[in-house]
Amino acid sequence: MVKRILAIIFILVIGFWIANALAKVPFGEDKMLVGKYYLENVKEQTGAINAVTAVVVNYRGFDTLGEVTVLFIASTGVAALLWRRREERSAEVDGSLILKTGSRVLLPFIMLFGAYIFIHGHLTPGGGFPGGATIATAFLMIYLAYKEYEIDHNLFEPLEGLSGVSYVAVGLIGLAIGGYFLFDWIWQIWEVGDIGRLLSAGFIPIIYTIIGIKVGTELTGIIDRMIKESKEVEG
Amino acid sequence: MIEHLPALVIAIPLFGAFITPLFRKRYNLAALWAILISGLTLVLVLLLEYQVLTKGMMIYVFGADKPTLVLPSGYRVPIRIMFQVDGIGAFMAISAGLMSFVGAVYSYSHLQKETGLEKYYTLLLLLTAGILGMVLTGDLFNLFVFLEIASIAGSALVGFRNYRGEASEAGIKYLIVSSVASLMVLFAVGILYGQYGHLNLAYLSKQITFNPLDMIALGLLFTSFAMKCGSVPMHYWVPDAYTEVPSGINPPLLVSTYASLYALFRVSFTLFGKITIDMATVGWIMSILGVLTMFIGVTMALVQKDVKRLMSYHAISQTGYMLLGVGVGLTVFHDKQALIEFGRTAMAGGVFHIINHIIYKSLLLLTAGALFYVTGTRNLNEMGGLARKMPITTISFMVGAAAISGIPPFNGFASKFLIYEAVYKLNPLLAIFAMVTSILTLASFVKVFASAFLGPPLEKYEKVREVPKPMIVAMVILAALCVLFGLFPDFVLDKIVYPAVDALINFIQYQSWGGLA
Amino acid sequence: MTSIGVYYFGAISLILIGLYAILTKRNLLKILVGLSIMETGVNLLLISVGYVRNATAPILSDYATPTNVVDPIPQALVLTAIVIGVATTALALSVAINVYERYNTLDIEKIRGLRG
């Protein structure tokens, strides 16, 4: 009880102090500095019309590489931590008939929608990460409907590793062609495509496809590990 | 090729780490691949240090199309992410590369009996990449991303031995503490971006002023990096994490803690340099924290029975030495004459102590891991009389214990002497505390030596032999470095340490991107 | 009235609620939920810093010119931060599963294998 009261007082004091100080940051005013430069030059320098995507992949592409690495660490860590001698799924019954039929019907549409999100990353909101999460949702639905289903580990794990390698490879090719790591060689040197069409924006669709596949397989792998439980070894 | 070194130093461990999970079940191949990649990284990092020493600060822009800074006309701000490598960044990068190589070599045989090892080596390489990114970057949000990479990889490795409940408990504590610290860093990034509209460290340090919002950002950043390096109010996660992690990861995990210490120095000296050059408060806070950490660490270590836990409490207390040394330098930052007289020496002592401590603490923890490998226990009361059976381990332990207590001619003496000498001129009381701590450290290690190695051999350890060769190689490398750094401290000081100290003091150089603008 | 920064009230209260949950709750899963709430609060604060009044999403087209769109940079930062938060939560939950399998309880007062 004492701990709670002390915690509440401490938190209220800190909150009041922070709120008072944050009054100095004006809300809703146009105070962009680098943002203005990005918005004015995004069409010529990157070829995308979605400024957020251009910032994520092109101008601050190194942070995205770090983010992909964090997800990879999470997936490897979950696989390492939840390793058991023998494991199995512990569900007792299948889902209901509606769930089974509905999931089979909806599966291709959800995967198509996810692919649409990450392929059109440079034109509409979205990109690789929501697209990959949608694909993982499709697999989660199948896990919930069928009690015996399991993904093919021999397909998913190498796919995940290879997508990661290809992201670093794209960066290294940029190094070789243009002189800097993660240099957008497709738009700047080869000049493929027009602004506003699907085939444009340099390597943004390529990187987002790689990220979409990687995130989808990783999240599905994490779901698979967490759903199983260890079987008690007899004797 | 040489000018692409900063990018290659990050790209090669990442590339190696993405390939490692493909070696399923062939653990020896995965281990050899990890040793190869970390050795390659070590060579690249040494080249980077040589480059920085001869040609000054190195700037590297990601994705730009000209080998100069991208400063479009009319704007005086950089547009892309930059890596800004100066003396202290290269110094920390050397320790990271060296420790990950030693850890990979040691793990080759330490973990013979475990499974799932290809994931272990993946996480080791990713931890190395995270630390290297954190110390080389010049962009605040990039620092946050690499800080998260290092903490998440570290906590996955802490909980790696999932058949022990204590390992999972240590893992969850480490993860919660580091997540809260990272969220506070992100909050500070939000505040600073809202005010100034940019994320580049050098640009921000030119714009920082003395208003309440920036003081809040300084407080948040200082607290969260102090939390992550194990100084006193938040040191509870350190013993648990260092004890439960597999011993081959102890060296990189130590470097990850000191990378947060580097980030603390970067924030105090460079980012808020315009403020701290006028006030001494931040420096006093750092020095007092240092003294408290030293004292509490060593007193709690005296009562421990578990050998690795005892060593981790000593690690906390030695962190106090570094905070004290650099804190003294920060306190006299505003006073030019005192700075030249003893501030610079104190900071050199603190920075030299970082690499010394990493070397001898890793040596001690690796010997503790060797004891665990051979006897299967970590409790000092159950061990005894192992000196005759494991001669090389005993000698390595003696070298490490002498180094940590500050006995000449080992490297601990060199850095501690610099700290005593300089701190005495600021305030004699602090120096007395430091010397008392040193004596208590010696007492504690004499006790460990007596219980584990001396005495009559127990019969349950009759069949014990010396540990396998890769573990011996790792320990001998570190012991040799202890002796070398102790016998030739001036060489190390001139080549590596004083450039790092000058890079911290001379933040104007950092602000102007090494003279480019 | 506006000298207290009411516009950031939502973000700050989420951060404080999350911090309260981490400090006082005893169940391990509730602490992780508190961590998640705190992450959401910080992300919300980052996005609201970039808001411009009467402006639209930063996807350039005929009526969304560079003068009336919001700032794209905080949105990119938050994208990264959300993914990092997901990774942390996934890892924390798997460590919590391991803790439950060994100690058979999720009460942090009882999980005290490491002492001293």
Side-chain angles (χ1 to χ4, degrees):
Chain A
M1 201 53 206
V2 177
K3 193 163 93 155
R4 274 182 208 227
I5 298 183
L6 277 179
I8 293 185
I9 296 180
F10 171 68
I11 284 179
L12 281 177
V13 163
I14 294 212
F16 182 68
W17 183 49
I18 292 183
N20 236 341
L22 271 180
K24 310 279 186 334
V25 180
F27 181 75
E29 287 181 14
D30 189 351
K31 46 183 163 11
M32 298 189 255
L33 184 61
V34 188
K36 265 288 187 292
Y37 177 82
Y38 285 165
L39 285 172
E40 282 163 12
N41 293 322
V42 71
K43 280 194 187 166
E44 301 94 49
Q45 286 192 351
T46 62
I49 57 174
N50 187 345
V52 176
T53 316
V55 170
V56 164
V57 175
N58 201 323
Y59 289 111
R60 295 188 75 93
F62 200 59
D63 283 341
T64 311
L65 184 59
E67 180 183 354
V68 163
T69 311
V70 168
L71 261 184
F72 182 66
I73 294 178
S75 155
T76 311
V78 170
L81 287 172
L82 290 181
W83 179 88
R84 301 175 185 100
R85 220 171 299 264
R86 235 185 283 191
E87 54 187 8
E88 59 166 6
R89 294 195 52 190
S90 61
E92 317 232 332
V93 295
D94 278 350
S96 67
L97 186 62
I98 298 183
L99 186 57
K100 284 204 274 197
T101 326
S103 62
R104 271 204 315 244
V105 167
L106 280 177
L107 177 71
F109 291 107
I110 296 184
M111 291 186 72
L112 185 64
F113 185 61
Y116 161 78
I117 292 181
F118 63 67
I119 292 180
H120 284 255
H122 53 288
L123 298 170
T124 55
F129 298 99
T134 314
I135 293 185
T137 313
F139 282 107
L140 175 64
M141 210 173 48
I142 302 284
Y143 264 98
L144 288 176
Y146 291 94
K147 73 172 175 177
E148 289 295 330
Y149 178 74
E150 195 175 317
I151 57 172
D152 186 4
H153 283 284
N154 286 333
L155 174 64
F156 276 51
E157 290 184 16
L159 195 59
E160 179 186 333
L162 282 176
S163 339
V165 167
S166 42
Y167 192 160
V168 181
V170 165
L172 287 174
I173 295 180
L175 183 74
I177 293 188
Y180 274 87
F181 192 66
L182 287 177
F183 177 66
D184 186 1
W185 84 94
I186 299 185
W187 181 255
Q188 308 260 23
I189 307 249
W190 292 353
E191 302 210 1
V192 174
D194 319 301
I195 301 176
R197 320 299 300 250
L198 182 57
L199 184 69
S200 67
F203 64 6
I204 295 183
I206 298 182
I207 287 193
Y208 265 154
T209 312
I210 294 176
I211 291 180
I213 296 178
K214 189 177 214 303
V215 172
T217 49
E218 268 171 2
L219 287 180
T220 313
I222 291 182
I223 293 174
D224 175 77
R225 299 262 171 211
M226 283 196 181
I227 269 191
K228 296 186 181 158
E229 288 181 11
S230 64
K231 187 160 66 171
E232 287 305 316
V233 183
E234 306 299 319
Chain B
M1 166 66 179
I2 291 290
E3 67 262 8
H4 295 304
L5 268 178
L8 283 178
V9 160
I10 307 280
I12 293 204
L14 275 182
F15 187 73
F18 284 129
I19 293 192
T20 315
L22 299 173
F23 291 115
R24 305 164 101 220
K25 304 256 190 284
R26 288 196 287 248
Y27 299 145
N28 283 341
L29 265 181
L32 285 174
W33 173 251
I35 295 179
L36 175 70
I37 297 275
S38 53
L40 192 57
T41 314
L42 179 61
V43 167
L44 287 177
V45 163
L46 286 172
L47 274 178
L48 185 67
E49 166 82 13
Y50 179 69
Q51 185 75 7
V52 168
L53 282 178
T54 50
K55 296 212 179 49
M57 196 186 295
M58 253 186 110
I59 309 274
Y60 188 80
V61 185
F62 278 96
D65 41 341
K66 272 206 294 282
T68 51
L69 211 47
V70 183
L71 283 181
S73 62
Y75 288 82
R76 303 291 299 165
V77 303
I79 296 297
R80 297 180 181 263
I81 297 183
M82 291 184 349
F83 265 19
Q84 205 164 348
V85 187
D86 60 353
I88 188 156
F91 174 80
M92 297 296 305
I94 291 184
S95 15
L98 182 65
M99 286 304 134
S100 101
F101 179 65
V102 164
V105 168
Y106 187 85
S107 308
Y108 181 81
S109 48
H110 183 70
L111 291 170
Q112 288 284 353
K113 311 177 194 131
E114 312 243 355
T115 54
L117 280 184
E118 76 272 8
K119 304 185 178 63
Y120 175 91
Y121 287 108
T122 315
L123 289 169
L124 171 70
L125 287 174
L126 285 169
L127 179 61
T128 313
I131 299 171
L132 285 170
M134 201 151 92
V135 302
L136 294 179
T137 185
D139 183 282
L140 195 55
F141 190 70
N142 216 7
L143 184 74
F144 166 73
V145 171
F146 279 105
L147 178 72
E148 282 279 22
I149 291 183
S151 347
I152 295 185
S155 68
L157 281 169
V158 166
F160 187 74
R161 289 196 165 128
N162 59 350
Y163 48 84
R164 286 176 59 94
E166 287 89 359
S168 309
E169 177 194 342
I172 194 90
K173 271 193 218 173
Y174 182 38
L175 192 57
I176 292 182
V177 168
S178 67
S179 292
V180 172
S182 312
L183 282 176
M184 283 162 53
V185 171
L186 191 57
F187 192 7
V189 169
I191 294 178
L192 285 175
Y193 181 76
Q195 282 210 294
Y196 300 117
H198 208 296
L199 290 167
N200 192 308
L201 278 175
Y203 180 77
L204 277 175
S205 72
K206 281 196 250 201
Q207 312 281 6
I208 293 270
T209 55
F210 190 77
N211 58 357
L213 206 51
D214 288 339
M215 289 299 113
I216 290 185
L218 173 63
L220 279 173
L221 284 170
F222 194 92
T223 313
S224 67
F225 285 126
M227 249 164 90
K228 283 228 56 161
C229 69
S231 67
V232 146
M234 304 287 158
H235 62 282
Y236 295 107
W237 60 270
V238 175
D240 299 339
Y242 285 3
T243 316
E244 293 300 330
V245 83
S247 287
I249 299 292
N250 268 127
L253 198 62
L254 265 181
V255 183
S256 153
T257 313
Y258 295 120
S260 310
L261 191 68
Y262 154 85
L264 183 64
F265 296 157
R266 180 64 84 203
V267 164
S268 321
F269 280 90
T270 312
L271 185 59
F272 286 91
K274 272 168 63 172
I275 311 284
T276 51
I277 204 167
D278 292 324
M279 8 183 265
T281 324
V282 183
W284 276 111
I285 295 181
M286 208 191 263
S287 317
I288 303 286
L289 263 182
V291 171
L292 277 177
T293 310
M294 268 199 276
F295 213 63
I296 294 187
V298 82
T299 43
M300 293 207 68
L302 287 173
V303 299
Q304 297 296 323
K305 291 194 288 290
D306 182 335
V307 60
K308 268 178 93 168
R309 208 170 162 80
L310 181 141
M311 289 181 186
S312 4
Y313 273 111
H314 279 296
I316 297 179
S317 97
Q318 300 290 314
T319 312
Y321 273 96
M322 301 169 214
L323 280 172
L324 179 63
V326 180
V328 164
L330 189 59
T331 313
V332 296
F333 203 27
H334 57 271
D335 187 350
K336 271 285 173 232
Q337 196 223 345
L339 187 66
I340 301 198
E341 202 181 301
F342 59 87
R344 202 163 162 259
T345 327
M347 281 175 66
V351 170
F352 191 29
H353 204 72
I354 294 182
I355 198 165
N356 284 344
H357 177 237
I358 291 179
I359 294 179
Y360 58 65
K361 181 60 71 181
S362 308
L363 177 62
L364 285 171
L365 285 165
L366 292 182
T367 50
L371 285 175
F372 177 66
Y373 182 81
V374 156
T375 63
T377 175
R378 290 201 297 258
N379 194 338
L380 276 175
N381 293 343
E382 294 175 17
M383 291 192 243
L386 293 165
R388 255 149 266 154
K389 309 256 187 221
M390 305 166 62
I392 304 188
T393 312
T394 315
I395 296 182
S396 318
F397 183 83
M398 278 181 359
V399 168
I404 195 174
S405 319
I407 297 181
F410 296 108
N411 52 1
F413 173 71
S415 50
K416 283 194 187 181
F417 187 69
L418 280 176
I419 295 182
Y420 295 155
E421 181 189 13
V423 171
Y424 189 79
K425 294 203 186 104
L426 177 71
N427 188 342
L429 191 60
L430 300 176
I432 306 240
F433 264 115
M435 288 191 232
V436 166
T437 310
S438 203
I439 298 180
L440 287 174
T441 313
L442 178 62
S444 171
F445 272 97
V446 165
K447 172 184 119 166
V448 172
F449 186 65
S451 339
F453 291 100
L454 295 181
L458 305 173
E459 22 356 297
K460 59 182 163 173
Y461 300 137
E462 267 308 307
K463 294 202 259 331
V464 156
R465 288 175 300 120
E466 185 61 84
V467 290
K469 284 220 177 30
M471 292 162 79
I472 296 190
V473 166
M475 289 195 280
V476 164
I477 293 179
L478 289 179
L481 277 175
C482 270
V483 173
L484 274 178
F485 277 14
L487 287 176
F488 306 109
D490 287 322
F491 177 74
V492 179
L493 277 174
D494 285 330
K495 291 286 180 189
I496 307 184
V497 177
Y498 272 112
V501 171
D502 290 330
L504 272 181
I505 294 183
N506 196 359
F507 68 94
I508 308 280
Q509 176 83 351
Y510 193 91
Q511 276 181 353
S512 60
W513 294 292
L516 270 173
Chain C
M1 183 60 193
T2 55
S3 68
I4 267 238
V6 286
Y7 300 109
Y8 300 107
F9 184 62
I12 296 179
S13 49
L14 276 177
I15 296 178
L16 296 176
I17 292 176
L19 195 59
Y20 172 75
I22 295 180
L23 290 175
T24 51
K25 292 289 177 191
R26 280 172 56 161
N27 190 335
L28 190 58
L29 286 183
K30 290 187 184 174
I31 294 180
L32 293 179
V33 169
L35 191 65
S36 204
I37 294 179
M38 200 170 156
E39 279 165 15
T40 309
V42 175
N43 292 338
L44 186 59
L45 181 75
L46 265 181
I47 292 208
S48 47
V49 159
Y51 178 64
V52 176
R53 277 207 171 85
N54 300 327
T56 174
I59 299 185
L60 302 175
S61 64
D62 290 331
Y63 60 87
T65 59
T67 44
N68 62 346
V69 291
V70 296
D71 198 349
I73 296 186
Q75 313 209 349
L77 302 181
V78 166
L79 226 148
T80 307
I82 292 180
V83 173
I84 293 182
V86 164
T88 309
T89 310
L91 207 60
L93 282 175
S94 39
V95 181
I97 292 179
N98 272 344
V99 166
Y100 184 69
E101 279 188 358
R102 296 293 147 207
Y103 286 99
N104 266 330
T105 174
L106 280 176
D107 188 343
I108 57 167
E109 306 274 322
K110 298 203 180 67
I111 303 177
R112 293 238 182 222
L114 300 163
R115 305 191 149 270

